[in-house]
Amino acid sequence: MVTPVAAESAPTSARRRRTRERIRAFGLPILALAMIVALWWLATVLFNIPTYLVPGPDLVVSKMIDLNSYLAEQTFVTTKETVLGFGLAILLGIPVAMSIARFRLLEQMLYPLLLAVNAVPKVAIAPILVVWMGFGLAPKIVMVVLLCFFPIVLATVAGLRSTPSELVELSQSLDAGEIKEFVKVRFPWALPQIFVGLKTAISLAVIGAVIAEFVGSSEGLGYVIVQSGASADTALAFAAITLLAIISIVLFYAIQLVERSLLPWAEENR
Amino acid sequence: MIEVIGVSQRFDTQRGEIHALDRIDLEVHENEFVTLVGRSGCGKSTLLRIISGLIRPTVGAVRVAGEQVARPRRDVSVMFQRPALLPWRNVRKNVLLPVEMLGLDKRQYTDRAQALIELAGLAGFEEKLPHELSGGMQQRVSLVRSLIQRPKVLLMDEPFSALDALTREEMSVELQRVVAEESTTIVFVTHSIDEAVLLADRVVVLSPRPGRLERIVDVPIPRPRTLGHNAHADQVSAISAELHDLLQPAPQVAT
Ligand SMILES: Nc1ncnc2c1ncn2[C@@H]1O[C@H](COP(=O)(O)OP(=O)(O)O)[C@@H](O)[C@H]1O
Ligand SMILES: [Mg+2]
């Protein structure tokens, strides 16, 4: 009997390839960003655009530096609302998705309802939330949950439904019972798709927080944007928008990092 | 060990009723190796599912170790055409999955897992994830997993048919070596005549539409058996020829 032997050189060359990929993954977006900023700056200078319409990147950066502690505070507020709402959406969404995936009756009852709720423009609800809950943290969190809930539920249901039939038969043939089957087979199998939902949801979460801040708030980056509009301080608005983009990107990559470390097998499998 | 008593199976589908199996009677003795051959769609997988307790027959009954099968039994193990490994578990943990699923004491099976892994030629690959293995090696893992809990009965549904021809021959020779040390009754589905003759004590031939038991052919060739040159070539070719004739589509006869 011949025992197969793993090739010796494979791991090192794979590692080298991975480093190269990582440099590209970071380097190329940064390069693109630098080019866009340069174009932006060039345009403001060449076409002589008044700074109250489009401030150059230099003005935006100096605004960020001048107001750094204020902006840091507002960034923290918005991030907190986003993360709390997102977490709550996961805590609510995954059990709902589990029940929908498990019970046909619940699916038939809840799916049309979920679709209807999802179809309502959330901006329209924002003022009502202020009436109900005031200007505090609560309406922001609710708004974030409203936006995140649906993609999380949808992805989780799809993931839980995607267990290959041979794995289901295997666990049935072992007479494992539903709970063990869920814990050891169905749920781990669904995780890559759940993460797809989480990544969709996190961008929506930031948007939700900003919408809620627009309509009723005295802090957060959304509030900063509304204020800067009133005083025609476009540079401040651009600074706040830039910070919002950074929050989105950082949270997105944070989730991706968790995914990569939790599911090293998934990348090779899908 | 296994008694199939008057089993018929019908499926209700949108395109009408399918009569998959018709009055199958079959007895498989303890430690016997039986292969089931037949054209595709003649109900081989269905019969295996019924024996395993995954589905209940429309008519008839199955007994394993003297007890009527109403649901999957702990001492009956199933191996599928596809490896059905969990992609997030390494080889060792995949092998131990049945132990966890059956709620057995894991510590009592770690040595056995290692021994079987080595027996199946997987030594050194214990920590590898399935996607790092070739198709043949994945199926070895699947085989080891199906043996871990010392099943009395092993049901195998075309386990090597997704592999290339050479790997397939190698696997069927090795299967004999691995199970020689186990006391397991095996029902092995295949549509390869060579595989059926190589492995079986008896070959059960099913005919299609509806699946009927056509003939049982004895294979009285001593073990261990190999492919290629051997002392029983005449016997092998005679049995193969007989199976060939049985599996040819019957001429259309008006009834
Ligand atoms: N769950 C099912 N529902 C409906 N028809 C089925 C089901 N399982 C098998 N069949 C039908 O029963 C027949 C036998 O199938 P199967 O046992 O898979 O055959 P084989 O394994 O010999 O190829 C086929 O016609 C197949 O379409
Ligand atoms: Mg089949």
Side-chain angles (χ1 to χ4, degrees), chain B residues 42-179:
Chain B
C42 73
K44 305 182 294 294
S45 299
T46 304
L47 183 54
L48 221 61
R49 287 205 174 86
I50 290 172
I51 297 173
S52 73
L54 283 170
I55 53 179
R56 305 282 300 273
T58 319
V59 180
V62 172
R63 272 199 284 239
V64 169
E67 293 162 18
Q68 182 141 342
V69 175
R71 56 182 303 150
R73 293 170 56 98
R74 304 168 67 89
D75 53 3
V76 175
S77 174
V78 188
M79 181 175 170
F80 302 95
Q81 183 172 350
R82 295 211 263 165
L85 303 176
L86 300 180
W88 54 91
R89 286 183 171 232
N90 65 25
V91 167
R92 188 199 313 282
K93 287 186 176 150
N94 260 298
V95 165
L96 286 168
L97 180 77
V99 175
E100 291 173 29
M101 290 293 219
L102 295 168
L104 303 168
D105 183 3
K106 228 164 148 181
R107 279 164 303 171
Q108 288 179 9
Y109 286 86
T110 45
D111 289 347
R112 174 167 167 81
Q114 190 56 37
L116 282 172
I117 284 170
E118 283 166 19
L119 187 63
L122 289 163
F125 290 86
E126 293 87 347
E127 312 296 330
K128 294 266 188 254
L129 291 172
H131 71 80
E132 298 173 287
L133 307 179
S134 68
M137 283 166 62
Q138 291 184 11
Q139 206 54 313
R140 285 166 205 250
V141 178
S142 186
L143 172 64
V144 169
R145 180 184 61 192
S146 67
L147 289 170
I148 185 76
Q149 73 268 39
R150 295 194 173 82
K152 285 189 193 143
V153 173
L154 175 55
L155 305 172
M156 309 175 83
D157 193 355
E158 304 193 29
F160 307 144
S161 64
L163 305 175
D164 64 86
L166 285 176
T167 312
R168 190 171 176 163
E169 286 184 0
E170 185 190 328
M171 291 289 290
S172 44
V173 171
E174 265 189 52
L175 171 65
Q176 302 178 75
R177 193 174 52 80
V178 171
V179 297

Side-chain angles (χ1 to χ4, degrees), chain A residues 40-41 43-45 47-60 62-63 228 231-238:
Chain A
W40 168 17
W41 182 73
T44 54
V45 173
F47 305 123
N48 236 332
I49 300 172
T51 51
Y52 64 87
L53 288 182
V54 181
D58 46 335
L59 289 179
V60 175
S62 69
K63 189 62 104 185
S228 62
S231 57
D233 189 349
T234 4
L236 182 58
F238 270 64

Side-chain angles (χ1 to χ4, degrees), chain A residues 16-269:
Chain A
R16 206 170 304 144
R17 182 154 26 89
R18 213 162 292 164
T19 336
R20 205 168 342 145
E21 266 166 26
R22 214 163 282 166
I23 290 170
R24 271 197 196 170
F26 279 104
L28 289 180
I30 286 172
L31 190 70
L33 184 68
M35 276 157 63
I36 289 168
V37 170
L39 277 177
W40 168 17
W41 182 73
L42 217 70
T44 54
V45 173
L46 281 182
F47 305 123
N48 236 332
I49 300 172
T51 51
Y52 64 87
L53 288 182
V54 181
D58 46 335
L59 289 179
V60 175
V61 170
S62 69
K63 189 62 104 185
M64 279 188 193
I65 295 168
D66 288 346
L67 296 177
N68 66 71
S69 73
Y70 172 71
L71 284 174
E73 239 168 79
Q74 307 315 312
T75 304
F76 175 75
V77 168
T78 304
T79 309
K80 185 178 72 184
E81 294 161 0
T82 304
V83 171
L84 287 177
F86 181 68
L88 190 61
I90 295 177
L91 286 181
L92 294 172
I94 289 186
V96 167
M98 277 163 53
S99 349
I100 287 177
R102 173 63 185 79
F103 301 106
R104 230 188 142 87
L105 192 74
L106 268 183
E107 179 189 4
Q108 286 165 346
M109 274 169 61
L110 289 182
Y111 243 70
L113 221 74
L114 278 174
L115 278 169
V117 170
N118 192 51
V120 174
K122 305 300 176 302
V123 191
I125 304 177
I128 306 172
L129 291 181
V130 175
V131 174
W132 287 345
M133 292 176 233
F135 293 83
L137 188 58
K140 279 88 187 172
I141 290 183
V142 170
M143 183 53 82
V144 173
V145 170
L146 279 175
L147 276 160
C148 293
F149 187 70
F150 196 69
I152 292 177
V153 170
L154 217 61
T156 308
V157 171
L160 291 174
R161 289 258 169 86
S162 69
T163 326
S165 58
E166 69 262 21
L167 288 184
V168 175
E169 282 207 313
L170 172 73
S171 76
Q172 282 175 359
S173 78
L174 291 165
D175 202 12
E178 252 184 274
I179 294 173
K180 269 191 184 162
E181 179 180 309
F182 182 84
V183 172
K184 292 194 191 288
V185 180
R186 282 187 194 272
F187 190 71
W189 187 271
L191 276 173
Q193 286 188 61
I194 293 177
F195 269 97
V196 172
L198 295 185
K199 285 192 266 187
T200 313
I202 194 67
S203 319
L204 293 173
V206 179
I207 294 171
V210 173
I211 292 175
E213 287 171 358
F214 273 177
V215 292
S217 184
S218 52
E219 53 178 358
L221 290 171
Y223 170 75
V224 171
I225 292 170
V226 172
Q227 287 300 300
S228 62
S231 57
D233 189 349
T234 4
L236 182 58
F238 270 64
I241 292 168
T242 308
L243 288 169
L244 282 173
I246 293 173
I247 295 177
S248 275
I249 293 168
V250 168
L251 290 177
F252 181 90
Y253 280 107
I255 292 176
Q256 191 157 67
L257 203 71
V258 174
E259 182 187 12
R260 294 253 162 97
S261 59
L262 223 57
L263 318 173
W265 52 274
E267 234 172 307
E268 326 281 339
N269 250 276

